[in-house]
Amino acid sequence: MTAAIQVLCRDRDGVLHSGPPRPVTPGEAVLVGREGDLALGVEPADPKVSRRAVEVTRTGSGWRVDVTNRNGVVVHPWGQPPGLAPASSVHVWPRVALRVAGRPELQHWVLLTDDTLRVPRPVPVPGTSLTETADQPRPLTWPQEEAVRELFAELLAWPPLVPATPLQLKQVGTRLGLKTETVQRRLEEVRKKAVALGLARTGSLTDPEYLYVLVRAGYLEPAGDAR
């Protein structure tokens, strides 16, 4: 199974109510909502979810998302900050979660997965006699990756968590059995790689901006998708 759609709901107690993943063929449009091909807002019942909330199509270039939910939809690309979905958009990303707004105590999710849409690492471009090219950073070492995944575990969760916040460095050290200074050194090296990839600003080590840069550049992938 390559491309698939799955719907689920997280209730006020954090319990997930989910259906099985549904394979999707290229060009197939799937309607999601209270009266859709995939039911959402039915169990648990939520009349604030539109009968025809969102239509998803796996096109040749990615996932096309057409929003008709009266209360809107928020897009959560894996490893990236969320944003309000426009009426129509295309997403080229291996994992995309759509949070369909309904009753505030419920979280309705539409999960879109397709391993063929994985983010490639940039390929170095040969320089010329007049212009030198910058070397691409080396891949994260396992200790570096372990530290960044632990720090930003909630931001990298799948299905997404809302709200999601980074841990404190001391908490990361406790979970990994490391000194806080060791965690800090590892994360500083990780952030240096993000700077080399174009990170525009450097805040604290718990600022996820460098995480987003690394994911966009293909240096960090969803768990289970390592190359």
Side-chain angles (χ1 to χ4, degrees):
M1 180 174 64
T2 302
I5 300 178
Q6 184 178 16
V7 297
L8 55 86
C9 177
R10 182 178 282 114
D11 64 25
R12 70 177 68 199
D13 297 320
V15 178
L16 286 175
H17 306 263
S18 63
R22 168 176 168 162
V24 181
T25 57
E28 178 186 3
V30 179
L31 180 64
V32 182
R34 287 189 290 118
E35 295 181 3
D37 304 314
L38 287 178
L40 190 71
V42 174
E43 182 59 44
D46 188 348
K48 291 186 178 296
V49 171
S50 297
R51 292 176 299 164
R52 302 168 62 91
V54 61
E55 185 176 80
V56 177
T57 306
R58 177 63 175 91
T59 69
S61 58
W63 293 102
R64 190 179 76 226
V65 175
D66 297 304
V67 175
T68 50
N69 189 54
R70 183 177 297 273
N71 291 305
V73 170
V74 178
V75 181
H76 294 251
W78 181 85
Q80 296 294 289
L84 187 64
S88 184
S89 56
V90 175
H91 304 273
V92 186
W93 209 247
R95 295 185 183 180
V96 179
L98 308 175
R99 180 159 51 94
V100 180
R103 289 161 51 195
E105 68 270 22
L106 298 175
Q107 291 181 13
H108 301 285
W109 294 95
V110 182
L111 307 183
L112 313 178
T113 58
D114 190 338
D115 292 340
T116 66
L117 296 175
R118 68 194 315 165
V119 182
R121 293 193 187 123
V123 178
V125 178
T128 68
S129 59
L130 298 177
T131 305
E132 295 182 359
T133 56
D135 293 332
Q136 295 293 338
R138 295 179 63 82
L140 301 183
T141 65
W142 168 243
Q144 291 170 351
E145 182 171 336
E146 182 182 45
V148 77
R149 285 189 184 274
E150 192 67 45
L151 173 64
F152 297 116
E154 289 192 1
L155 283 75
L156 297 173
W158 189 261
L161 292 175
V162 176
T165 56
L167 295 179
Q168 297 176 0
L169 299 189
K170 183 177 181 180
Q171 292 174 303
V172 176
T174 299
R175 294 190 180 193
L176 297 181
L178 301 171
K179 293 182 178 179
T180 303
E181 293 78 8
T182 302
V183 173
Q184 182 174 343
R185 286 196 299 270
R186 291 183 183 181
L187 293 172
E188 286 173 345
E189 291 302 313
V190 171
R191 188 170 60 183
K192 286 180 183 178
K193 295 180 180 183
V195 170
L197 291 166
L199 177 66
R201 62 180 177 86
T202 54
S204 70
L205 288 171
T206 58
D207 182 344
E209 191 64 31
Y210 68 98
L211 168 72
Y212 302 148
V213 170
L214 291 167
V215 173
R216 285 196 298 271
Y219 278 71
L220 201 65
E221 297 183 327
D225 290 349
R227 309 179 192 193

